[in-house]
Amino acid sequence: MKKKEFVTQDLLSKIYQQSSPPLNKLPPERQLAEEYGVSRFTIRQALEKLVSIGVINVVQGSGIYISERARSNPLVYNSITEKRFDQIAFRLISLHKKLPDKEERQVFGLGEHEYIWQFCRVRYVDNQRVQIETSKLPFSDFPDLNQQIIESSIQQYVLGRGLQISHLLTSYQAISIDKQQAALLACKRGQPAMQINSRGILAGGRVFEISEVIDINYSCTYVIPFNQDNLSFRQTHP
């Protein structure tokens, strides 16, 4: 593990520890560098990541403060959500309108003759091709969907239409890149990748998007409360 990643993970573990009184501020950069035996540049990189995922706030001349709102909720961040939008770009591969199949009608709650959008785009992070995303959205909710919107933020577009996003349902599966995917991502066929399937859900429970993402550079970190009920269930025997 790189030094900056170790520092990030260790600071996260300290931030989420239950202590009395709770930790509300981190030591200054110089002290952290001494404690971890690394340069202040490495400490600064770790702190920048913690800022980007909303765990801390750095106030010049005052200190490094822990976000209580973040600590009171499960934390999940990955190799995409920790990046700023100016580090991410998209290129549209295809966009068309189609009639949904039976499963798609069920997910979106559509009638047999209601259309959906389907698009494919490649995501660049720091000018490197890392993801292929195929997404579907109901045409009736988003009739003006176009290339400009797809090559920016879909979530910002949804919010801009006055809709409220409630939560995301996401699953992961390890795969190998096929020939067509390798051509789009400029990588070798057979390279390990992560397939990420998601549903975007609006307040009220209606699904506004289903997507499949193929990512060749995926990493994920999460902090959640210990689930005693789940452990007990797994230990039971029928």
Side-chain angles (χ1 to χ4, degrees):
M1 181 181 291
K2 294 181 179 179
K3 289 181 179 180
K4 67 177 181 180
E5 293 298 335
F6 172 79
V7 174
T8 302
Q9 297 285 329
D10 199 61
L11 287 175
L12 276 173
S13 71
K14 288 179 170 61
I15 289 169
Y16 280 85
Q17 283 174 2
Q18 298 293 329
S19 60
S20 183
L23 185 69
N24 62 9
K25 192 175 181 182
L26 294 180
E29 280 185 16
R30 179 177 284 105
Q31 183 178 335
L32 289 172
E34 292 174 356
E35 289 179 3
Y36 285 103
V38 299
S39 67
R40 292 185 66 177
F41 176 73
T42 297
I43 293 298
R44 199 168 295 120
Q45 286 182 308
L47 294 177
E48 285 175 355
K49 176 172 282 192
L50 295 179
V51 169
S52 71
I53 61 178
V55 173
I56 63 170
N57 297 299
V58 178
V59 180
Q60 293 296 327
S62 180
I64 306 165
Y65 293 90
I66 296 167
S67 168
E68 286 303 316
R69 180 178 178 183
R71 187 158 52 186
S72 62
N73 291 283
L75 169 70
V76 179
Y77 72 90
N78 59 44
S79 48
I80 295 300
T81 59
E82 70 186 40
K83 295 291 185 178
R84 303 186 310 272
F85 282 119
D86 61 1
Q87 296 174 285
I88 301 172
F90 298 95
R91 178 168 64 89
L92 178 66
I93 303 299
S94 63
L95 169 65
H96 62 275
K97 188 172 68 172
K98 70 168 195 133
L99 287 171
D101 60 25
K102 183 178 179 181
E103 289 185 358
E104 292 162 349
R105 291 200 305 271
Q106 185 175 27
V107 170
F108 289 119
L110 299 176
E112 188 173 352
H113 301 294
E114 293 184 87
Y115 282 86
I116 62 172
W117 289 112
Q118 178 171 307
F119 69 80
C120 177
R121 63 181 181 177
V122 172
R123 178 184 274 119
Y124 294 73
V125 177
D126 296 327
N127 298 315
Q128 299 293 317
R129 283 178 270 184
V130 296
Q131 283 189 357
I132 303 168
E133 178 185 350
T134 303
S135 290
K136 300 166 186 177
L137 301 89
F139 176 81
S140 58
D141 286 325
F142 310 106
D144 60 343
L145 187 68
N146 57 41
Q147 180 175 355
Q148 182 179 0
I149 293 167
I150 293 168
E151 292 184 346
S152 56
S153 169
I154 294 296
Q155 291 182 3
Q156 288 290 348
Y157 166 63
V158 172
L159 295 172
R161 293 187 63 82
L163 299 171
Q164 182 179 350
I165 299 174
S166 171
H167 53 285
L168 304 174
L169 174 64
T170 307
S171 61
Y172 306 87
Q173 181 178 355
I175 64 164
S176 297
I177 293 292
D178 63 26
K179 182 178 180 180
Q180 184 177 7
Q181 293 164 346
L184 286 174
L185 293 173
C187 66
K188 292 182 179 180
R189 180 180 179 181
Q191 178 171 331
M194 187 68 74
Q195 179 177 299
I196 307 162
N197 292 291
S198 296
R199 293 186 185 190
I201 303 170
L202 298 171
R206 192 158 56 89
V207 175
F208 71 88
E209 180 184 25
I210 53 177
S211 67
E212 176 191 273
V213 171
I214 306 298
D215 193 322
I216 58 173
N217 189 30
Y218 188 77
S219 63
C220 182
T221 298
Y222 61 95
V223 182
I224 58 173
F226 174 63
N227 190 334
Q228 179 65 55
D229 291 339
N230 176 260
L231 179 63
S232 300
F233 172 79
R234 291 166 61 199
Q235 291 176 325
T236 59
H237 298 280

